[in-house]
Amino acid sequence: MSSGVLLICGAEIARYGFGGGHPFGPDRHEAFMRELHARGLDGRVRCGAARAATREELESFHTAEYIDQVRERSAGGHAYLDGGDTPAWRGLFEAASYVVGGTLNAVDAVMEGEVRRAFIPIGGLHHAARDQAAGFCVFNDCGVAIEMLRRRHGLRRIAYVDIDAHHGDGIFYAFEDDPDVLYADLHADGRFLYPGTGAAHETGIGAARGTKLNLPLPPDADDSDFLASWERVEAYLRAGQPQFILFQCGADSVAGDPLTSLRFSVRAHAHAAARLCAIADGLGHGRVVGMGGGGYNRRNLAEAWTGVVQAFLDSE
Ligand code: VJV
Ligand code: ZN
């Protein structure tokens, strides 16, 4: 079986973000890479650059009208793409396209058997809807990855696991009626945090009714709360037997984030990563792709994400 961990990194994805004191600044990539280097892990992973997603790939998830709107507004270089969280700037269309292409590179390398795990720090833009930007997210790389795993790679059952403090509404509602997208999301209770959704009773609709797992937590939940909910995620995945696991490991669920009040330690992220690898290996394929997601305390994102990469390496 293939071995090694692929890291998608470099200037192409580092550019994604917003200046002027925005929490999702373009310095987050560097904060992570420095920590990876300090721990000597940069020499143990295979590094690959992102490519830009094609129009066809973007259209597998997003509407043509929305893609045009992002291109026009980012050429104009001003105005927000949403209600005040996601400012447009010249070059944003390209930067957002590279994030999607990077996640697709990660997914493709795993599907082609080059590696079993891959990680992309600037990815996991889970709030973008098929036709709308939201919460710092322009194109939803996770959503495009799910669509392309089906269309290009012929998979049917794909798991999306999300431990970012914010509910992954862009993915949840896009696949709400699809029983073949397994969805497990730990997040701060929507009564207390953006985007306000993801109540436990939201379990899917139509043919997917009762098949999704939303696990809202008290706004100050710690590692013991995390572990109790995580047990349910594992049982859910073992029963669902996905052919691929996408893992959005937002570091804004770690104590000390400026945007949220969840109080996990970085061990939660490493634990989740290790367990997902064990589950994927137990299913006989080992396919796990991690996406950085949120995380606005630079120390926390550096430690949480290097912990995920370390867990991927240790699982080899
Ligand atoms: O809470 C909100 C929405 C508002 C309207 C818009 N104003 C700016 C803020 C309040 C109701 N949005 C959240 C969005 C969080 C997105 C998280 C993304 C992820 O981690 O899940 C995945 C990558 C929010 N919380 C804090 C802010 N926005 C915020 C936005 C800013 C800002 C400071 C805080 C935008 C610009 C600047 N500072 C300069
Ligand atoms: Zn978040």
Side-chain angles (χ1 to χ4, degrees):
M1 191 180 275
S2 57
S3 68
V5 173
L6 174 67
L7 174 71
I8 303 294
C9 58
E12 296 80 9
I13 58 166
R15 276 206 308 272
Y16 185 84
F18 311 92
H22 191 289
F24 202 123
D27 59 313
R28 298 167 74 251
H29 178 273
E30 181 64 18
F32 163 68
M33 294 301 287
R34 269 180 194 283
E35 180 70 13
L36 202 72
H37 179 71
R39 290 213 217 163
L41 299 183
D42 53 342
R44 294 181 53 201
V45 295
R46 292 170 48 183
C47 289
R51 64 182 171 83
T54 65
R55 171 99 196 180
E56 188 190 352
E57 287 166 343
L58 293 174
E59 279 190 17
S60 71
F61 182 81
H62 292 289
T63 63
E65 296 71 26
Y66 172 62
I67 297 167
D68 289 339
Q69 188 195 332
V70 174
R71 206 186 36 217
E72 283 154 22
R73 292 211 193 166
S74 67
H78 37 240
Y80 284 90
L81 295 176
D82 61 357
D85 282 321
T86 319
W89 49 271
R90 207 175 284 277
L92 178 62
F93 179 90
E94 286 72 25
S97 299
Y98 272 102
V99 171
V100 176
T103 297
L104 292 176
N105 278 357
V107 160
D108 289 346
V110 170
M111 285 310 298
E112 279 149 28
E114 291 168 31
V115 290
R116 280 188 298 170
R117 340 275 191 210
F119 182 75
I120 176 165
I122 310 302
L125 303 181
H126 60 176
H127 296 306
R130 293 190 187 274
D131 61 354
Q132 210 162 40
F136 319 159
C137 304
V138 176
F139 294 137
N140 195 322
D141 56 308
C142 335
V144 175
I146 291 170
E147 296 288 359
M148 295 312 294
L149 276 166
R150 295 175 150 172
R151 298 181 196 197
R152 185 171 288 155
H153 298 290
L155 298 192
R156 196 167 75 97
R157 284 176 80 69
I158 297 152
Y160 173 83
V161 178
D162 186 329
I163 63 168
D164 187 288
H166 301 95
H167 180 232
D169 56 348
I171 294 298
F172 183 76
Y173 294 110
F175 298 102
E176 195 181 13
D177 62 354
D178 186 336
D180 287 324
V181 175
L182 305 180
Y183 183 94
D185 192 334
L186 269 68
H187 49 269
D189 188 317
R191 286 173 295 179
F192 310 105
L193 189 70
Y194 178 94
T197 50
H201 63 78
E202 295 191 77
T203 60
I205 59 171
R209 198 169 166 171
T211 70
K212 316 268 181 194
L213 194 60
N214 272 307
L215 296 171
L217 295 164
D220 61 347
D222 63 11
D223 279 354
S224 66
D225 301 301
F226 165 80
L227 284 168
S229 289
W230 183 258
E231 288 298 318
R232 299 185 56 191
V233 174
E234 289 196 23
Y236 173 76
L237 293 175
R238 289 214 162 84
Q241 303 197 347
Q243 296 164 290
F244 199 105
I245 299 177
L246 287 165
F247 176 38
Q248 204 272 24
C249 54
D252 50 8
S253 47
V254 176
D257 189 87
L259 264 54
T260 92
S261 53
L262 287 184
R263 302 195 43 81
F264 301 173
S265 77
V266 294
R267 287 195 305 270
H269 291 65
H271 178 77
R275 301 304 305 160
L276 292 177
C277 290
I279 290 168
D281 288 349
L283 291 169
H285 54 68
R287 299 169 187 144
V288 182
V289 165
M291 302 163 293
Y296 306 100
N297 174 317
R298 276 40 178 172
R299 215 34 271 134
N300 285 353
L301 73 83
E303 290 181 10
W305 295 346
T306 49
V308 168
V309 172
Q310 177 83 63
F312 282 3
L313 285 164
D314 290 347
S315 74
E316 289 291 315

